[in-house]
Amino acid sequence: MVDKSFEKNRLDLAYQRQLHYLNGIIALTTIGMISFLGTFIWNKDYLLVGLIIVTIFVIIAYYLHRKIDRNLKEISNKIKELSK
């Protein structure tokens, strides 16, 4: 019984850590996109460069979001298995 409780607590902490990562990725991506778009809209000469950089941000954020989401699902499934 103690081992299950310890493992569940460990998984809960891992789940919380992944949620913090996810929040950080979302915050940094939105702030990065807004700042780049704002800068490049201000200076219309580099608008295409700005769109390319923002697109790269979105692709990287999407990849990281998917990876973290898979980790969250995996941890959640492990917690469900422990509660049985």
Side-chain angles (χ1 to χ4, degrees):
M1 184 70 163
V2 175
D3 291 334
K4 275 189 174 183
S5 175
F6 177 75
E7 185 65 19
K8 184 183 177 303
N9 287 340
R10 191 184 70 74
L11 289 171
D12 286 339
L13 289 173
Y15 192 85
Q16 289 297 321
R17 182 182 53 204
Q18 292 296 317
L19 283 177
H20 287 294
Y21 289 162
L22 185 61
N23 288 335
I25 292 297
I26 291 171
L28 288 174
T29 302
T30 2
I31 292 169
M33 283 177 24
I34 291 170
S35 65
F36 269 106
L37 275 179
T39 301
F40 291 114
I41 288 174
W42 186 271
N43 188 354
K44 302 245 187 241
D45 297 335
Y46 298 112
L47 185 60
L48 182 62
V49 174
L51 289 175
I52 292 171
I53 292 174
V54 168
T55 304
I56 291 171
F57 271 167
V58 169
I59 291 170
I60 292 171
Y62 177 74
Y63 169 75
L64 291 173
H65 182 275
R66 282 189 52 205
K67 180 179 177 187
I68 293 170
D69 191 48
R70 279 189 301 236
N71 289 343
L72 287 171
K73 287 179 184 177
E74 182 180 312
I75 292 170
S76 178
N77 288 336
K78 286 180 182 178
I79 291 173
K80 283 181 189 176
E81 289 175 12
L82 279 177
S83 63
K84 289 182 182 180

